[in-house]
Amino acid sequence: MKFCPQCTQELKVLEFDGVERLACPSSDCDFVYWDNPTPVVAGIVELDGSVILVRNVGWPEKMFGLIAGYLEKNETPEDGILREVREELGLEGQIQDFVGYYPFYELNQLLLVFHVRAAGEIVQGKELEAHKLIQANVLKPWPFGTGLALKDWLEARKE
Ligand SMILES: [Zn+2]
């Protein structure tokens, strides 16, 4: 963000209670760009004992992750992840558990991760380039983002 959305002046770095933030320098305007994290829902989606990993359009060739997406206005996180599962995989899901919340600082996101059990035939949505099913017992979590939730989930499942 470069310009004030309220009065179009160029934003400047100003200090608020010891924290530097982009803000509007105009004395008639109180706009501060807080840059708050964005909530993102993600699902460890299980289908017949396997977990579904997906590659979004535009991701590098070998990169797969959990199904994830932004919430719609007035939508609960549970409804949000079930909608993503429906839209991107063509599956009806059921929430099993809330795995937890995971800050993803690099992307300024707060991930809300659910374990979802799904049934049906996968019909890949337009935001996905590829998907694969990996049996939970051979799944290797990646060390960032949703991978941290997957690691916790896999560990809890062994106990
Ligand atoms: Zn302004």
Side-chain angles (χ1 to χ4, degrees):
M1 182 168 289
K2 202 164 185 312
F3 298 98
C4 178
Q6 291 177 18
C7 73
T8 72
Q9 277 220 38
E10 190 166 356
L11 297 174
K12 294 242 160 10
V13 176
L14 301 174
E15 201 180 294
F16 294 85
D17 300 321
V19 181
E20 292 193 331
R21 300 180 188 278
L22 272 179
C24 184
S26 165
S27 52
D28 310 325
C29 180
D30 58 5
F31 179 78
V32 179
Y33 180 49
W34 297 103
D35 200 13
N36 301 112
T38 305
V40 170
V41 288
I44 299 170
V45 182
E46 246 190 313
L47 179 68
D48 303 327
S50 293
V51 173
I52 304 172
L53 301 185
V54 298
R55 186 167 82 236
N56 287 8
V57 171
W59 281 12
E61 188 74 18
K62 287 192 175 143
M63 197 165 145
F64 280 83
L66 299 181
I67 197 95
Y70 299 112
L71 292 170
E72 301 279 4
K73 190 174 177 180
N74 297 331
E75 185 177 55
T76 65
E78 288 84 354
D79 286 346
I81 188 57
L82 294 180
R83 176 182 49 74
E84 290 291 340
V85 167
R86 204 176 304 119
E87 286 175 2
E88 295 311 317
L89 298 168
L91 299 173
E92 284 304 317
Q94 269 195 325
I95 302 281
Q96 299 298 301
D97 281 305
F98 177 54
V99 180
Y101 61 83
Y102 295 81
F104 195 172
Y105 296 118
E106 293 83 351
L107 297 182
N108 196 24
Q109 294 176 344
L110 180 65
L111 305 170
L112 306 170
V113 184
F114 294 89
H115 174 208
V116 176
R117 233 182 261 282
E121 292 285 325
I122 296 179
V123 180
Q124 198 174 280
K126 59 182 179 350
E127 287 174 34
L128 299 185
E129 197 140 280
H131 69 269
K132 58 184 182 183
L133 287 145
I134 310 271
Q135 293 226 323
N137 55 350
V138 295
L139 198 50
K140 292 207 170 52
W142 46 96
F144 59 91
T146 53
L148 304 178
L150 192 57
K151 180 169 180 278
D152 287 350
W153 180 74
L154 288 167
E155 276 168 13
R157 179 169 195 285
K158 278 189 214 141
E159 283 159 15

